[in-house]
Amino acid sequence: MMSQRRGIHLDQSELLCKKGCGFYGNTGWQGLCSKCWREENQREKQKQIQEDWALAERLQREEEEAYASRQQKTQSQPSITPFSKFEERKTKEKSSKVNTVTKFFSPSTKTPPKKDVAFDAHSSPSPSSSTSRHSSVDSDHATRDFIDFLKPLKSGREIFKQCRAFTESMVYKRDMGADELSECVQDFYQNLSDRLHTQSKGSSDHVESVMDEVEKYMMTRLYKEVFCPETTDDEKKDLAIQKRIRSLHWVTIEMLCVPVDEEIAAVSDSVVKAITDVIEMDSKCVPKEKLACITRCSKHIFNAINISKKEAASADDFLPTLIYIVLKANPPRLQSNIQYITRFSNPSRLMTGEDGYYFTNLCCAVAFIEKLDGQSLNLSAEEFDLYMSGQASPHWPPSSGASSCSPGGAALTQVHQRLDLLTGLGQRQDRVMEKARKMESDLIDWTDEVEQKVHSVLESFSPETQTPPATTAGGTASAASSAIDSDNVENEHLPPPLQPQVFAG
């Protein structure tokens, strides 16, 4: 009896935030949504600050007690450092610690003052020298598009000044960790969104459209600075997942129970488009555009499932198919793109909507690929290890239950039947060729045998009785004629030559 396939199942509740807020969670945020993650992160940092202060105060008390003890032992000697100066020094050190902690959790102050920008139709922002080194055609187009979008807005000038100042200040924070850079960007998004909501008096659609343009402008200019920064191990993760997917090249559509029949032309076309879209994600600079690639890929997947099953696709159908598409595509810099979207996308887009849903599923698919084992594919541990090492390849013999998993099972059975037929035809062709060569050899031997018999007959055949030479006066001519004809061995069956007749006169 065949073992029951475990399959790939993901409850929809697993896509939501672990805090139960109703928004989509993310593996990069430990299963929390961006809002809960930031709140949790802020609490952790506040707790760390309090612990640091408690430690600093304890060390200060120990220092004061040690100093008082030394003062009691040296009362007879002149005081070296007055106690008032010690208190002054202690106050300065404490103030320095406060400033250090404050600077650590505040934007960098190294940014030079900015000049105001003329915000009209005939001017463009003059970037600073640091930013100009990283400018490109894309960033120039993004700047012009952003200005054109903000011109009709009443607060457009102020929004542009804030965004420009923030992007230029981020250049001086390139040595910060990726989490700190993400926090700075997310804080800016949150503060600007709150101000826009206050100004627009609840018009959320207008605020979202403005925030989309803000994200496009900022991330186009900051892409080289914040995508796969050197302070992270994103590149190492990219190489690891790429190697992992390559080692899983033997995984078939039947192993994952993918309900897609690629023999249908429309389904095959949708699969190719889905692969193209997920690969194209790496060519985009803006998080929104990367998410759009994921959304288009997912819609092509749903279309392929709907055509194959001739009914609406379910979530249990979608995730295995998405895993299959990722395995076939092996997208470049997959982990870097996921981390970039997680860190610098507008948080509201990841928390709700179809973009957030599809992105969360992609994160789950990648996590599944990283933890894929034999049990997930209904294989034993020994078989899985052999396939991963390349020592063997999977063989799926035709079986009556092959089609029970997906419509592709019947297709696989048909493929194996055709392979068996081709193998049989090849064997029959070999037998025909062998017999043809034998027949050719027999024909040559028969021809040689016939030729030998003919020559033997010709050599043994005796010519008919010849007329003796005449003794008449013309005997000399008759003998000569006979001698000539005797050499004509090829015409042995001809009648004897005519003998000349001599008439007496």
Side-chain angles (χ1 to χ4, degrees):
M1 182 177 180
M2 295 182 60
S3 59
Q4 183 67 27
R5 181 182 295 276
R6 189 180 72 173
I8 302 170
H9 174 74
L10 181 67
D11 195 286
Q12 292 300 292
S13 62
E14 298 179 28
L15 301 177
L16 301 178
C17 176
K18 292 182 178 179
K19 291 289 185 178
C21 62
F23 296 120
Y24 293 123
N26 190 282
T27 55
W29 297 323
Q30 299 179 4
L32 303 176
C33 68
S34 61
K35 180 181 178 181
C36 294
W37 168 253
R38 293 188 59 203
E39 292 176 354
E40 188 72 19
N41 200 25
Q42 290 291 343
R43 281 196 294 269
E44 291 293 331
K45 288 185 175 180
Q46 188 65 29
K47 180 180 177 181
Q48 184 64 39
I49 292 174
Q50 293 176 356
E51 292 178 354
D52 292 342
W53 273 113
L55 178 61
E57 291 177 355
R58 183 172 61 83
L59 295 176
Q60 188 67 32
R61 287 195 301 269
E62 292 178 356
E63 183 180 354
E64 291 176 358
E65 292 174 358
Y67 178 78
S69 177
R70 289 195 302 270
Q71 285 295 105
Q72 292 177 359
K73 294 180 180 179
T74 57
Q75 286 181 355
S76 59
Q77 298 178 359
S79 176
I80 298 176
T81 304
F83 187 75
S84 59
K85 290 185 178 182
F86 171 76
E87 289 291 337
E88 182 180 355
R89 180 169 62 86
K90 182 182 71 174
T91 304
K92 289 182 178 180
E93 291 178 354
K94 187 173 182 180
S95 176
S96 176
K97 292 178 181 179
V98 173
N99 292 334
T100 301
V101 175
T102 304
K103 290 179 181 179
F104 181 76
F105 293 103
S106 63
S108 174
T109 58
K110 296 181 181 179
T111 307
K114 306 294 184 303
K115 295 181 180 180
D116 195 5
V117 179
F119 192 72
D120 54 47
H122 304 287
S123 65
S124 61
S126 57
S128 64
S129 59
S130 299
T131 309
S132 62
R133 289 196 299 267
H134 303 280
S135 62
S136 63
V137 176
D138 291 339
S139 62
D140 293 338
H141 283 308
T143 301
R144 287 194 293 269
D145 294 342
F146 190 47
I147 292 175
D148 293 339
F149 174 80
L150 293 176
K151 281 177 183 177
L153 303 183
K154 183 178 180 180
S155 58
R157 182 189 299 270
E158 184 64 25
I159 294 174
F160 179 77
K161 288 173 62 177
Q162 293 176 4
C163 295
R164 178 177 178 271
F166 179 79
T167 54
E168 293 183 355
S169 69
M170 288 291 288
V171 177
Y172 300 91
K173 299 177 181 179
R174 65 182 67 178
D175 294 332
M176 294 177 62
D179 292 337
E180 286 77 12
L181 292 174
S182 173
E183 186 175 358
C184 290
V185 173
Q186 296 296 334
D187 286 341
F188 180 82
Y189 285 158
Q190 187 64 44
N191 294 332
L192 180 59
S193 177
D194 291 343
R195 288 197 299 270
L196 291 176
H197 276 292
T198 302
Q199 295 173 2
S200 62
K201 298 179 181 179
S203 179
S204 58
D205 293 339
H206 171 70
V207 173
E208 287 300 320
S209 63
V210 173
M211 293 304 301
D212 288 344
E213 294 298 324
V214 168
E215 178 192 272
K216 179 180 178 182
Y217 166 73
M218 289 175 49
M219 289 299 105
T220 302
R221 298 191 64 185
L222 294 174
Y223 184 74
K224 294 181 180 179
E225 303 291 339
V226 299
F227 183 85
C228 191
E230 296 180 357
T231 57
T232 65
D233 59 348
D234 292 350
E235 186 176 358
K236 182 178 179 181
K237 292 180 179 179
D238 288 335
L239 296 175
I241 190 64
Q242 188 178 56
K243 182 179 179 181
R244 174 72 172 175
I245 292 177
R246 285 177 179 174
S247 64
L248 292 169
H249 65 90
W250 49 269
V251 176
T252 64
I253 196 171
E254 288 75 29
M255 292 180 181
L256 296 170
C257 280
V258 176
V260 169
D261 186 2
E262 291 188 87
E263 289 192 352
I264 303 175
V267 174
S268 178
D269 184 60
S270 295
V271 169
V272 171
K273 289 180 179 179
I275 293 173
T276 303
D277 286 329
V278 75
I279 292 176
E280 187 182 1
M281 173 178 61
D282 185 60
S283 65
K284 305 299 182 181
C285 295
V286 183
K288 180 183 177 182
E289 295 175 355
K290 292 181 181 291
L291 286 170
C293 292
I294 299 174
T295 300
R296 289 197 302 271
C297 169
S298 302
K299 290 184 177 180
H300 287 310
I301 289 175
F302 273 110
N303 184 57
I305 298 173
N306 293 339
I307 296 175
S308 299
K309 296 184 64 177
K310 298 181 180 180
E311 61 182 20
S314 64
D316 289 339
D317 297 330
F318 171 68
L319 183 60
T321 311
L322 179 60
I323 294 171
Y324 173 69
I325 293 297
V326 173
L327 289 176
K328 290 195 68 173
N330 198 356
R333 301 192 292 184
L334 180 57
Q335 287 288 7
S336 291
N337 282 287
I338 290 177
Q339 293 298 327
Y340 175 73
I341 295 172
T342 301
R343 293 166 182 157
F344 303 108
S345 177
N346 185 356
S348 62
R349 190 177 296 111
L350 299 183
M351 294 165 60
T352 57
E354 62 177 7
D355 286 348
Y357 174 77
Y358 294 137
F359 178 71
T360 304
N361 275 275
L362 177 63
C363 295
C364 293
V366 174
F368 178 85
I369 291 173
E370 291 176 336
K371 300 177 181 179
L372 189 65
D373 56 9
Q375 186 179 5
S376 304
L377 304 175
N378 201 32
L379 299 173
S380 65
E382 292 77 10
E383 289 176 321
F384 183 80
D385 293 338
L386 287 175
Y387 299 155
M388 289 294 289
S389 62
Q391 299 178 14
S393 60
H395 176 66
W396 290 83
S399 61
S400 58
S403 61
S404 61
C405 179
S406 68
L412 181 65
T413 302
Q414 188 176 8
V415 167
H416 284 293
Q417 290 175 349
R418 291 177 180 177
L419 289 175
D420 294 339
L421 178 60
L422 289 175
T423 303
L425 290 175
Q427 295 173 354
R428 292 174 61 185
Q429 184 181 12
D430 293 339
R431 290 194 296 269
V432 169
M433 292 300 298
E434 183 180 356
K435 291 182 178 180
R437 286 190 293 267
K438 187 176 184 301
M439 183 177 180
E440 181 182 10
S441 177
D442 293 343
L443 182 60
I444 293 173
D445 294 341
W446 178 79
T447 304
D448 294 341
E449 184 180 357
V450 170
E451 289 180 355
Q452 290 176 1
K453 289 182 178 180
V454 170
H455 285 295
S456 176
V457 169
L458 292 176
E459 290 175 357
S460 62
F461 182 78
S462 60
E464 295 181 4
T465 306
Q466 299 181 355
T467 304
T471 58
T472 62
T476 304
S478 177
S481 176
S482 217
I484 293 173
D485 290 337
S486 64
D487 294 333
N488 191 4
V489 296
E490 295 181 358
N491 299 317
E492 293 179 348
H493 299 288
L494 293 176
L498 296 175
Q499 300 296 328
Q501 301 292 328
V502 180
F503 296 94

